[in-house]
Amino acid sequence: MSEAASRNRSRTLEQLQTERYGRSLQWHGITDSTNDDAKRAATSGAPDGHVVVADAQRMGRGSHGRAWSSPEGEDLYVSIVARPAIAFSALPPLTLAVGLGVAHAVDALREAAHASPSRVKWPNDVQLEGRKVAGILIEASASGAQLDSLVIGIGLNVNRCEFPEDLAALATSLRLSHPQRQALDRAHALSVLLAQVELWVDRFTREGAAPVADALSSRLALLGERARCGDARGIVRGVTHEGALLLQTEHGMRELIAGRLVPEP
Ligand code: BTN
């Protein structure tokens, strides 16, 4: 571990307010993908809440087979080993619970009274003023219907001020959204992120998807706006208690369980 990574690890541990998340913590200088590291750790018996962080990733993965741009030292690339007591079939809304945790953390880190709250873009993005500030990639391993472990991967744009050309108009960071472009301490940001994600994953595990869907109703990106998801086009009307997206199409209300939501003019 580099000196900087070791310092960040110690400073995160000093500030942690979680019960389990991050109590076992690995902080790499560079790695291929923290999700792969966390998967290997899970297979070797890492505890619920074990966290892998890296300053940079060579092969960061996003959803739908895309790459996750992961330059060094600016943002957070985080993977959490989770072992929630739920069936494999109950898993889909978990991404929304994690999204709510990330959204609350983003708001807590911004603090500014003027700031409009972050939004969760179904199913796995968190946005600030219509631009993506974080993405979530959950990968599960199961034996039959029984869930063995999960890896919750989160990429949070903390201090980045420049993005690759294809993302420039779509992405933002906590720093870019600050009126004075103030940089944030990533160790502090990680401790806040882990606390909020633990809280919402535990709530989902205890109470199911209904409280998650209810909390989402005031935070859902594109609510009341036109969007498409695969071949379905319509107006976003909300999220069901099972975590499906409600899209009002010209053929009636559709409940979508997966896909990529794209705004339409
Ligand atoms: C998305 O496409 O929105 C999901 C992005 C998830 C990126 C994170 S960064 C940490 C973890 N490691 C990976 O390789 N991917 C996830």
Side-chain angles (χ1 to χ4, degrees):
M1 200 187 317
S2 71
E3 228 173 83
S6 155
R7 220 178 15 252
N8 276 328
R9 177 179 182 276
S10 309
R11 294 185 45 256
T12 304
L13 289 172
E14 280 161 25
Q15 299 178 68
L16 263 191
Q17 301 210 333
T18 57
E19 207 177 281
R20 308 174 318 282
Y21 283 20
R23 298 281 159 194
S24 166
L25 176 63
Q26 256 186 320
W27 194 310
H28 296 293
I30 184 161
T31 191
D32 285 344
S33 158
T34 54
N35 263 30
D36 290 343
D37 295 332
K39 261 191 222 172
R40 276 192 292 272
T43 309
S44 319
D48 180 45
H50 173 73
V51 168
V52 182
V53 187
D55 286 329
Q57 299 183 113
R58 295 183 200 91
M59 293 191 287
R61 274 201 303 284
S63 49
H64 307 286
R66 287 171 302 179
W68 185 257
S69 142
S70 312
E72 186 171 356
E74 311 232 45
D75 298 331
L76 279 173
Y77 315 115
V78 182
S79 298
I80 305 164
V81 173
R83 302 183 183 279
I86 53 175
F88 190 63
S89 57
L91 209 51
L94 178 71
T95 311
L96 297 173
V98 174
L100 270 176
V102 175
H104 277 94
V106 162
D107 289 354
L109 289 166
R110 289 177 87 212
E111 285 168 11
H114 69 273
S116 55
S118 59
R119 309 226 167 255
V120 176
K121 179 169 163 275
W122 181 93
N124 63 344
D125 292 356
V126 176
Q127 294 189 332
L128 275 177
E129 280 134 23
R131 289 172 179 236
K132 181 159 172 169
V133 70
I136 297 155
L137 178 67
I138 296 186
E139 298 178 306
S141 95
S143 332
Q146 187 62 42
L147 184 67
D148 287 336
S149 64
L150 290 173
V151 169
I152 301 172
I154 303 168
L156 174 61
N157 301 335
V158 180
N159 286 326
R160 205 182 322 182
C161 288
E162 279 175 17
F163 289 90
E165 207 176 292
D166 56 324
L167 300 179
L170 306 171
T172 191
S173 66
L174 290 168
R175 183 173 186 178
L176 275 177
S177 77
H178 189 278
Q180 280 82 43
R181 302 237 164 144
Q182 199 175 300
L184 276 89
D185 171 11
R186 284 184 304 141
H188 173 63
L190 178 62
S191 69
V192 172
L193 179 71
L194 293 176
Q196 289 298 327
V197 173
E198 180 183 77
L199 191 144
W200 281 97
V201 170
D202 284 358
R203 186 166 293 172
F204 171 70
T205 305
R206 267 193 328 267
E207 300 171 39
V212 172
D214 290 344
L216 260 182
S217 59
S218 60
R219 275 197 182 262
L220 193 63
L222 299 174
L223 190 65
E225 294 175 32
R226 300 198 64 78
R228 76 182 145 81
C229 184
D231 59 358
R233 291 190 142 80
I235 298 174
V236 175
R237 290 299 181 204
V239 168
T240 68
H241 275 187
E242 288 71 42
L245 183 83
L246 283 169
L247 195 69
Q248 185 182 9
T249 72
E250 58 182 13
H251 308 294
M253 198 66 87
R254 281 190 60 179
E255 292 189 11
L256 306 170
I257 54 166
R260 182 157 172 258
L261 195 60
V262 182
E264 290 231 297

